[in-house]
Each structure stands twice: as C-alpha cells, then as structure tokens.
Amino acid sequence: MNITRENIDELNAVVKVDIAKDDYQEKVDKILKDYRKNANIPGFRKGHVPMGMVKKQYGKAVLVDEVNKLLQDALNKYLTEEKLDVLGNPLPKEQENFDWDKENYTFEFELGLSPDFKVDLDVKEPVTHYKIVADDEMVESQIKNMQKQYGKLVSKETAEEGDIVAGTFKNEEEGIDNNTSVELEKLKGKENLDKFIGAKAGDTISLNTKGLFEDDHDLIKHLKIEHDKAHDLDIEVEFTVTEVNHQELADLDQELFDKLFGKDQVKTVTELKEKIKEDAAKQFQQQSDQQLMNDITEKLIENTEFDLPKEFLQKWIQTVGEEPMTEEEAAEEYEKSEKGLRYQLIEGKIMKDNNLEINFEDLKAFATDKIKAQMAQFGQMDPSEKELDDIAARILSNQDEAKRLSEQLMNEKLLEFYKENMKFNEKEVTYEEFVKEIYE
C-alpha cells in the first residue's frame, strides 16, 4: 500500500491511496473460506460447496468490503501519523469507470486543512464587562415580596387599593372561564383600579383586557390563555368577585430573618439589605459572565483573520446530513455555521497554545460541586462524601452527561483565562439597565 499527498494550496490537499492485491487478498481468501465452511446451498453438503461457486456468489461483496475497511484504516492512520489538522472528513473524489475486476486500485480523497493563524487577545476596543448590582428599588421590592410570602391574608368586606380580589374572569365567545386572584397593585391605570375599589363579594365588573395589567403576561395566568394571544389582546371580560382579602405583611423582625436565612445569620434590616444585594450579585454573575463570553467570542472572531477552505466545506456539508443537500442548500448552511466554525478553531488554538485541558479529577470535582449545590436547594446541606461520589460516578458514566459537564467546565476555564489575559471596560449597571443595554 502506498499513500501520497499533493497540497493544492495552504487549505486544500488531495491524498492518493494505492492498494495492491497483496494488501487485501489474504484477508479476502480467509473470509471466503469461512463462508464455504458455513454456507448452506441446496445440492451440496455443508462445508463442501465448490470455492468457485462461493467466490461467484460472495467474492465481489467481500472484496469491496475489505478494501473499504483497509482504505479507511489506512487513511485514518495516515492523518494521525502526519498530524494533519483537517476540517470535516476526507471526501472521496469521483472516479469514472471504476473497475472492481482489476487487482490493484487507486483512491483519491480531498482534504480541507485547518488554517494556520495567531490569536491576539490584545484587542483594540476592549469588551465591556458588566457588573450587575441590585439597586435600592430592587432591594425594597425583594423585601416586600419576602414580607408577603410570610405574611397573612385577612378577609374584608370591600376592596381598597393594595388588596387582593378573588373571582372569576369570563368571556363566553373566547371560552374564558377562570378562577383567579388579582393583586390590585398590578392593575394598569387609575380607571381599572377605580372599578375594583369598593367592590365586594357577588359584584361583577366589566373590563377590557387591553392595558388591564402593567404586564400583558399577567393575562396568561388570569385568563388561562396562550402566550401569543396575550399580547395586544383587546376583548371585553366580566370579573365576578368571590372574596376580598388584605395582605398583611410580616414584620421585619428576628423571627422573619431566621426563617429566611437561618438562625442569627441576619439580625438587622441593614444586614438584610446587604444579604439581598450579595445574593443578587451571585445570581446576576451568571448572566454577566454569559454576556461577557458572548461579547469576547464576537470580538475574537472579528479580531482574528484567516481563510477557510470554503468550497471543500460546502461540499462536505452536502454529505453529512441524513438527507443529501443541494449546492444551494449547502452554501446557505455554510453561511449560517461559518462564524461558529471560526470560533471553534480560535478556541481550539487558545486551548492548545495555553495548555488548557480537563482531566478526570477536574471533571469529578466540578460534577460534585454541581451535585452539592442541587442537593442544597432541597435542604440536604451536608451529604456524605460517599453519597456524593456515588452520584458523581453514576452521572459521569453517562457519556452525554459527561460531555455536557466537560463543555461547561472548559467554558469556565476559558472564561477565567480571558479574564486574566484580556483588558475590559468595567461597567456597573442595575439589572434593568443591563437588560435595556443588551436586549433593547
């Protein structure tokens, strides 16, 4: 067997594989002998079928199968030994009038080669690193929610501002008939609020759904309708009051603090506010880091120039799906995936150049931390080491789970690497400011 390579340019090559009869004949003969031993052909005893008949019936199929196996093994070995960094998979070149009746064969494969490039982390325009903080309004809102959660409902005769009114929304034409409780502070506009003020059990209130609540999404819960329907819904509904309640807030005292955070962990309202800010910062960190990673990705793609074997990749895309694609479909798919491929190459280059890798102990520790955090959410604060090890072993034995966790861990390692090696514009924002800046 002989393998040679011709480099077309820096990104494309053709590998030629010559296979001679001596490379495959011994294996083919052995398989055909085994076939002869086990063949059941009418008119012949088992094991006594003439070899000529076996070759006639099975010879071509066995030959093709063995040559293809030999070809694939040889090609994979060649790519490994030559340390060729290829994109996609080798594509066999079409050969007109290929003749399997010959004894020697030549196969050619197109290769798409990974480009050689450098990654410069010193970008001209630094990425913005958002630090999301809880402002006073958010803290006060969170405190009020805590007081509501541990407060109590007190029944009353007539509704006033700030009360909760239970009842049923109805609209026969739209099939709406839903029991719910409306927090009057979530109604939009004085006109809607005034319709509820003074209402008592048995009263029916006519309302228009357009602009009924501050947030249109509240219509989903109160009317039991689909999400898409809630936006700009403009119909008349009847609300029949069944009960009026006033929400008494829990006192901001040690009893409440202990319920929220454990005994004596928080002792004053000032400490409560600090705790809320601290917890909010931890929750916002994930969003901040995700946005930072997104922005770094875009910046590195923009800042790192290299060519790709575009024509080869489009041809390869045509062949990899369950259904073959047309040239036009493959070209369209390439345009969609090109940016992702570029970042994959950049990421791989950074990992290789900086020895960023994951070993099993890293992965096990990462999985264990995830397990502990999840168990803590369900009140299991101190699981045994054996229990954690058993769960981690079970999770990591699942290849899909192990791969998912590996990708998460490598993402964290990369982000930490970027934070240590890139310059950023630090910007402190409230969550509302962050959402407006990123999504609007």
Side-chain angles (χ1 to χ4, degrees):
M1 185 185 305
N2 186 44
I3 302 181
T4 56
R5 180 176 83 248
E6 177 189 357
N7 290 330
I8 308 302
D9 54 39
E10 292 182 349
L11 298 173
N12 295 275
V14 173
V15 169
K16 185 165 72 170
V17 184
D18 294 318
I19 296 179
K21 183 177 181 180
D22 289 344
D23 296 321
Y24 62 80
Q25 192 62 54
E26 184 179 346
K27 183 70 173 175
V28 169
D29 287 345
K30 182 180 182 303
I31 293 173
L32 290 176
K33 285 178 183 178
D34 290 339
Y35 275 26
R36 186 186 181 210
K37 290 178 185 177
N38 299 296
N40 287 312
I41 296 179
F44 298 95
R45 285 182 298 155
K46 187 174 181 180
H48 291 272
V49 179
M51 179 55 79
M53 184 174 288
V54 173
K55 286 184 177 180
K56 185 176 181 180
Q57 187 163 351
Y58 302 108
K60 182 66 67 68
V62 171
L63 170 67
V64 172
D65 189 46
E66 288 307 310
V67 168
N68 280 326
K69 287 179 182 176
L70 187 64
L71 180 62
Q72 194 61 54
D73 289 344
L75 190 58
N76 290 337
K77 184 179 179 183
Y78 175 80
L79 295 178
T80 301
E81 290 178 348
E82 293 293 311
K83 297 180 180 178
L84 289 177
D85 195 359
V86 300
L87 301 178
N89 295 316
L91 291 177
K93 293 187 72 172
E94 289 187 16
Q95 299 184 59
E96 291 184 8
N97 304 317
F98 186 86
D99 188 0
W100 281 104
D101 290 327
K102 292 182 178 180
E103 294 184 338
N104 300 320
Y105 310 106
T106 295
F107 302 91
E108 290 186 337
F109 293 86
E110 295 179 61
L111 302 183
L113 304 178
S114 183
D116 185 26
F117 61 92
K118 292 183 179 179
V119 180
D120 186 1
L121 299 177
D122 187 17
V123 295
K124 292 179 181 179
E125 295 181 10
V127 171
T128 298
H129 185 190
Y130 294 96
K131 181 183 178 183
I132 309 172
V133 296
D135 59 5
D136 292 340
E137 184 180 347
M138 178 177 282
V139 171
E140 292 299 331
S141 175
Q142 187 68 20
I143 289 174
K144 189 173 182 181
N145 287 336
M146 291 173 173
Q147 288 179 282
K148 283 183 178 180
Q149 181 182 352
Y150 289 94
K152 60 182 180 180
L153 290 177
V154 178
S155 181
K156 53 188 298 190
E157 289 292 326
T158 58
E160 296 177 278
E161 191 171 344
D163 286 344
I164 299 173
V165 180
T168 304
F169 276 110
K170 287 189 177 183
N171 178 300
E172 289 187 13
E173 187 176 335
E174 296 291 333
I176 295 170
D177 186 353
N178 187 54
N179 298 322
T180 187
S181 293
V182 177
E183 296 179 55
L184 298 190
E185 62 182 25
K186 292 189 176 182
L187 292 170
K188 184 175 183 179
K190 188 173 183 301
E191 183 179 347
N192 286 321
L193 178 60
D194 286 346
K195 291 181 179 181
F196 280 87
I197 300 301
K200 56 185 182 297
D203 287 352
T204 296
I205 303 169
S206 296
L207 300 160
N208 189 285
T209 57
K210 188 172 180 61
L212 179 57
F213 294 101
E214 291 288 350
D215 185 348
D216 282 345
H217 290 94
D218 285 342
L219 292 172
I220 299 172
K221 175 180 70 174
H222 291 307
L223 303 184
K224 275 287 188 293
I225 58 175
E226 298 295 326
H227 177 275
D228 292 343
K229 196 173 182 179
H231 293 283
D232 301 319
L233 183 66
D234 188 1
I235 61 171
E236 296 294 323
V237 291
E238 301 288 326
F239 181 81
T240 301
V241 179
T242 57
E243 189 178 352
V244 178
N245 293 295
H246 176 69
Q247 175 79 65
E248 283 193 359
L249 302 180
D251 293 330
L252 292 174
D253 55 17
Q254 195 61 49
E255 182 182 356
L256 178 62
F257 301 155
D258 289 348
K259 286 178 181 177
L260 291 169
F261 303 107
K263 186 167 177 58
D264 295 334
Q265 295 299 304
V266 170
K267 295 184 178 180
T268 66
V269 172
T270 300
E271 289 182 8
L272 172 64
K273 291 180 178 181
E274 289 303 315
K275 180 66 174 170
I276 291 172
K277 287 183 178 181
E278 180 185 321
D279 290 348
K282 290 178 183 177
Q283 292 175 6
F284 293 147
Q285 185 68 44
Q286 185 176 356
Q287 285 177 279
S288 174
D289 282 348
Q290 184 59 59
Q291 187 58 43
L292 180 62
M293 194 64 169
N294 292 345
D295 292 341
I296 289 172
T297 299
E298 291 292 333
K299 184 63 69 175
L300 289 177
I301 292 171
E302 175 189 317
N303 202 53
T304 309
E305 294 185 3
F306 54 82
D307 293 325
L308 290 170
K310 181 176 179 179
E311 290 184 11
F312 169 83
L313 288 171
Q314 288 181 352
K315 276 201 256 184
W316 174 70
I317 288 171
Q318 281 186 265
T319 67
V320 293
E322 291 183 7
E323 296 290 335
M325 289 187 181
T326 64
E327 288 185 15
E328 292 75 16
E329 290 171 336
E332 185 179 340
E333 186 62 29
Y334 174 80
E335 293 301 322
K336 291 179 185 176
S337 59
E338 182 185 358
K339 186 179 285 189
L341 174 58
R342 287 183 177 277
Y343 181 67
Q344 276 186 332
L345 293 172
I346 293 169
E347 184 183 85
K349 177 75 170 172
I350 291 171
M351 288 163 59
K352 181 179 178 181
D353 289 351
N354 297 279
N355 298 315
L356 297 177
E357 55 186 25
I358 296 172
N359 58 42
F360 180 75
E361 291 305 315
D362 291 335
L363 186 58
K364 182 182 175 184
F366 182 71
T368 300
D369 287 342
K370 293 282 186 185
I371 295 163
K372 286 170 71 174
Q374 192 167 18
M375 293 176 77
Q377 291 179 352
F378 294 95
Q380 295 174 269
M381 307 303 294
D382 191 26
S384 69
E385 188 172 335
K386 183 181 184 308
E387 187 177 8
L388 290 170
D389 284 347
D390 289 345
I391 297 173
R394 188 167 64 250
I395 289 173
L396 295 177
S397 67
N398 182 308
Q399 287 188 349
D400 290 338
E401 275 299 300
K403 181 182 177 183
R404 184 180 66 82
L405 288 169
S406 295
E407 289 172 351
Q408 287 182 10
L409 178 54
M410 182 50 73
N411 203 54
E412 287 191 9
K413 278 182 175 279
L414 278 166
L415 184 57
E416 193 61 35
F417 174 80
Y418 293 145
K419 286 180 178 180
E420 292 173 358
N421 292 277
M422 294 182 73
K423 295 177 182 177
F424 303 101
N425 286 328
E426 304 287 343
K427 186 173 184 179
E428 187 172 291
V429 292
T430 65
Y431 183 71
E432 186 175 343
E433 290 168 340
F434 173 76
V435 170
K436 283 183 178 179
E437 192 157 329
I438 299 303
Y439 301 107
E440 295 182 13

